[in-house]
């Protein structure tokens, strides 16, 4: 969706006079040399660096040109969500029943009403993926329920029914970063499959979590001699939950991969049914997606009552996962949450859709002084190559958040960004030394032939800078582009004016 609203103000392009050995002009020349490497003759660079103390532009290159931002997109979505929903916003997922309890039997269905929570699974429960489901089994037992006569119904209608982002590549759809989107999601809408090598020539041993029958795994894996290189191979057959595994795993090693499922809503209630059965609660009916019914549940009906609820961690913690781990599903669900919770008055857009979420997010972008007619977002994660944004628009957003009048919003946004060299984040293997280590806080972005980084860094004399740097259409290895970007940022961290 392309949003066209009103033009932006011009940035200030003044540069202060030098007061120390390194002048702004010297910094500009140094950064030019970094980006002018002949290896990038066929690539496009865009960058902007702004001193937030006095709004001085320290460096600009193609700053108003649009680039594919990849996961830098997540900055735009998380900033809007924190501002409009608040850092303390929480999702509430409800387990309801539509019938009475007679002699320990629920004479009706159990309904899970999804609210867009991306975090049901093991991420916030120390890896215990089904902790919420077992807690719900406890709630059923406390109410004297030992058998369910009806079905387990998953209601995902808080979002629209579009399961994928616009422009996503079909060959990504097996992997965790392209998981299907649903308002009722579980375990990142993936199964976590481990291949354990055996003796050379033998197939690997497969295990998976959760250990569900929802997926069918076809084992074409092969154990190769120790010391050889692991060769991963996975494919989920389109529109099915049949996953073919054909990795080559060296003896003595194991490999784990999160692989997507089809129809996350049915996956949620399928695993819930398995857990209830394991907990001694009989379920006579089947796991069902609410979209299979022509008549939807009436949540105002007097026969519908709440069995249990699950409340998510606060949005501030969910946003940390999005930006530190670059979690695409979380970003997509947050975008649609904006579209459901803060819809704009436009009858052509569907609440709970990506399009409505983008229209809602644009309120924040406008307040940041961004000309929304000159940018284009079509998803919330940045997986689509159809997203377009400029370094200038990105730095405007960063500057707006740094000066946000609600300091809790700023603190949550800043804390969500990974720090240079920080373990278990997208920057864990970058900025391992130098002044940028433990200093830079920035969001990475990577898809094919695209690498980006945008965030904040402090100079040697303590000034906080906002920066964005994009490289598109390169043909060198991505690791080389990242090294160049990191060198660019390291010069900013060493700068003293």
């Amino acid at each position: 969706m392309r949003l066209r609203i009103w033009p932006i103000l011009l940035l200030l392009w003044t540069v202060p006079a030098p007061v120390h050995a390194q002048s702004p002009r010297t910094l500009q020349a140094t950064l030019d040399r970094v980006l002018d490497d002949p290896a990038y003759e066929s690539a496009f660079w865009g960058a902007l660096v702004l001193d937030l103390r006095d709004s001085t532009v320290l460096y600009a290159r193609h700053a108003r040109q649009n680039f594919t931002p990849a996961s830098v997109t997540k900055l735009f979505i998380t900033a809007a969500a924190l501002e409009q929903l608040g850092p303390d916003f929480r999702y509430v997922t409800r387990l309801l029943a539509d019938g009475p309890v007679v002699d320990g039997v629920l004479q009706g269905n159990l309904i899970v009403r999804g609210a867009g929570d991306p975090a049901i699974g093991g991420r916030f429960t120390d890896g215990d993926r089904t902790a919420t489901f077992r807690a719900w089994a406890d709630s059923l037992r406390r109410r004297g329920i030992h058998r369910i006569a009806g079905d387990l119904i998953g209601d995902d209608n808080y979002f629209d029914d579009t399961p994928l982002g616009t422009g996503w590549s079909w060959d990504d759809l097996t992997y965790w970063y392209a998981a299907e989107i649903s308002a009722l999601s579980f375990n990142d809408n993936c199964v976590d499959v481990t291949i354990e090598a055996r003796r050379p020539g033998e197939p690997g041993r497969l295990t998976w979590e959760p250990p569900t029958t929802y997926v069918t795994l076809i084992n074409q894996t092969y154990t190769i001699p120790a010391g050889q290189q692991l060769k991963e191979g996975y494919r989920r057959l389109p529109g099915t939950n049949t996953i073919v595994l054909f990795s080559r795993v060296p003896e003595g090693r194991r490999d784990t991969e999160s692989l997507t499922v089809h129809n996350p809503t049915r996956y949620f209630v399928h695993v819930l049914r398995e857990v209830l059965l394991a907990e001694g609660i009989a379920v006579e009916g089947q796991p069902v997606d609410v979209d299979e019914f022509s008549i939807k549940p009436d949540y105002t009906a007097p026969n519908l009552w709440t069995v249990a609820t699950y409340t998510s961690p606060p949005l501030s913690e969910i946003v940390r996962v999005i930006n530190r781990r670059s979690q695409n599903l979380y970003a997509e669900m947050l975008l649609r949450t904006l579209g459901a919770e803060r819809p704009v008055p436009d009858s052509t857009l569907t609440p709970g859709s990506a399009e409505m979420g983008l229209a809602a997010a644009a309120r924040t972008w406008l307040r940041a002084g961004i000309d929304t007619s000159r940018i284009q977002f079509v998803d919330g994660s940045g997986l689509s190559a159809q997203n377009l944004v400029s370094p200038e628009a990105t730095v405007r957003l960063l500057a707006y958040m740094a000066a946000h009048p609600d300091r809790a919003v700023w603190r949550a946004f800043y804390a969500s960004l990974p720090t240079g060299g920080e373990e278990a984040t997208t920057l864990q293997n970058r900025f391992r030394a130098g002044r940028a280590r433990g200093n830079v806080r920035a969001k990475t972005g990577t898809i094919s032939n695209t690498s980006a980084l945008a965030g904040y860094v402090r100079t040697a004399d303590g000034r906080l800078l906002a920066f964005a740097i994009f490289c598109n259409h390169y043909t060198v290895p991505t690791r080389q582009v990242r090294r160049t970007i990191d060198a660019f940022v390291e010069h900013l961290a060493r700068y003293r004016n």
Side-chain angles (χ1 to χ4, degrees):
M1 180 180 68
R2 186 184 297 273
L3 299 164
R4 299 181 180 277
I5 306 182
W6 54 277
I8 55 175
L9 300 173
L10 294 177
L11 282 175
L12 300 175
W13 296 91
T14 58
V15 179
V19 296
H20 291 296
Q22 189 179 20
S23 69
R25 183 168 296 181
T26 300
L27 175 67
Q28 293 164 10
T30 299
L31 297 178
D32 277 337
R33 285 195 297 272
V34 170
L35 301 188
D36 286 340
D37 188 317
Y40 302 116
E41 284 183 346
S42 63
F44 298 96
W45 285 102
L48 184 65
V49 182
L50 185 72
D51 187 333
L52 293 177
R53 185 179 300 181
D54 55 13
S55 298
T56 297
V57 172
L58 296 179
Y59 184 82
R61 175 180 290 211
H62 304 309
R64 295 178 182 170
Q65 302 301 309
N66 275 339
F67 292 80
T68 302
S71 283
V72 167
T73 297
K74 295 180 175 74
L75 292 177
F76 288 81
I77 306 308
T78 56
L82 285 169
E83 179 177 75
Q84 297 185 39
L85 300 176
D88 296 326
F89 173 86
R90 294 174 186 259
Y91 295 90
V92 179
T93 304
R94 303 184 185 279
L95 181 68
L96 306 111
D98 66 359
V101 180
V102 180
D103 297 329
V105 179
L106 172 62
Q107 301 292 340
N109 304 301
L110 270 183
I111 304 169
V112 186
R113 191 180 191 189
D117 186 351
I120 297 177
R123 194 180 300 276
F124 291 98
T125 54
D126 295 325
D128 187 345
R129 295 169 177 82
T130 57
T132 300
F133 296 166
R134 295 199 311 279
W136 286 353
D138 290 340
S139 295
L140 289 166
R141 278 193 292 265
R142 283 195 298 270
R143 294 177 178 274
I145 299 172
H146 302 286
R147 179 180 296 272
I148 292 129
D151 293 322
L152 291 186
I153 302 171
D155 185 348
D156 57 6
N157 286 335
Y158 184 69
F159 294 166
D160 72 355
D161 288 326
T162 305
L164 302 171
T166 297
W168 286 11
S169 177
W170 68 268
D171 50 355
D172 287 334
L173 301 183
T174 297
Y175 301 97
W176 67 268
Y177 53 82
E180 291 187 12
I181 305 152
S182 168
L184 192 59
S185 291
F186 164 69
N187 196 48
D188 299 350
N189 296 340
C190 290
V191 289
D192 305 313
V193 182
T194 297
I195 308 167
E196 185 176 359
R198 301 164 95 174
R199 289 181 294 193
E202 293 183 349
R205 177 175 176 269
L206 301 184
T207 56
W208 59 98
E209 292 289 343
T212 176
T213 61
Y214 190 71
V215 294
T216 299
L217 303 183
I218 298 177
N219 189 358
Q220 296 180 359
T221 65
Y222 190 81
T223 302
I224 57 179
Q228 292 191 11
Q229 185 175 0
L230 169 70
K231 297 180 180 179
E232 296 180 283
Y234 314 94
R235 182 176 69 255
R236 179 171 59 79
L237 304 184
T240 77
N241 286 300
T242 298
I243 302 173
V244 183
L245 301 101
F246 47 94
S247 296
R248 299 294 182 258
V249 183
E251 184 180 15
R253 291 186 58 183
R254 63 176 58 191
D255 180 56
T256 299
E257 187 76 18
S258 294
L259 304 172
T260 61
V261 298
H262 175 60
N263 194 332
T265 302
R266 191 179 291 122
Y267 176 48
F268 188 111
V269 288
H270 185 103
V271 177
L272 174 58
R273 184 176 186 273
E274 291 174 330
V275 171
L276 294 181
L277 292 172
E279 291 289 310
I281 297 175
V283 183
E284 296 178 11
Q286 297 301 313
V288 183
D289 185 330
V290 73
D291 293 332
E292 297 173 35
F293 296 107
S294 57
I295 300 176
K296 309 304 181 189
D298 178 5
Y299 293 104
T300 65
N303 66 314
L304 215 65
W305 53 281
T306 299
V307 176
T309 61
Y310 172 75
T311 301
S312 76
L315 182 60
S316 57
E317 294 187 29
I318 290 171
V319 166
R320 284 170 69 96
V321 174
I322 293 174
N323 285 335
R324 287 172 177 250
R325 303 299 297 270
S326 205
Q327 223 298 335
N328 288 352
L329 176 65
Y330 280 36
E332 294 297 342
M333 294 180 70
L334 185 56
L335 172 64
R336 287 154 181 79
T337 300
L338 267 175
E341 293 286 330
R342 301 291 185 268
V344 302
D346 186 336
S347 62
T348 67
L349 300 178
T350 302
S353 66
E355 292 79 9
M356 182 65 87
L358 291 166
R363 297 185 183 111
T364 294
W365 307 339
L366 284 169
R367 283 192 285 268
I370 296 169
D371 182 351
T372 56
S373 71
R374 296 177 60 124
I375 64 174
Q376 174 174 288
F377 288 112
V378 300
D379 70 7
S381 62
L383 189 57
S384 176
Q386 295 181 24
N387 296 312
L388 294 171
V389 73
S390 66
E392 181 183 78
T394 307
V395 169
R396 280 189 174 272
L397 180 78
L398 294 168
Y400 175 72
M401 294 303 287
H404 201 281
D406 185 340
R407 301 313 286 166
V409 169
W410 158 242
R411 287 191 296 269
F413 182 72
Y414 187 71
S416 76
L417 301 176
T419 303
E422 183 180 2
E423 294 296 328
T425 74
T426 54
L427 289 182
Q428 67 178 357
N429 295 318
R430 301 174 67 173
F431 305 107
R432 303 291 288 182
R435 288 189 176 271
R437 176 176 173 80
N439 172 4
V440 60
R441 282 183 177 264
K443 181 71 200 73
T444 57
T446 305
I447 57 175
S448 296
N449 310 108
T450 293
S451 188
L453 191 70
Y456 307 94
V457 65
R458 287 200 178 274
T459 64
D461 53 356
R463 287 175 174 258
L464 186 63
L465 309 181
F467 70 90
I469 179 168
F470 299 98
C471 188
N472 284 183
H473 302 298
Y474 59 82
T475 54
V476 299
T478 294
R479 63 181 179 273
Q480 181 176 339
V481 182
R482 287 175 177 165
R483 284 196 296 266
T484 301
I485 291 174
D486 294 357
F488 183 99
V489 174
E490 178 64 20
H491 282 295
L492 298 180
R494 291 178 176 275
Y495 175 64
R496 182 184 298 273
N497 182 16

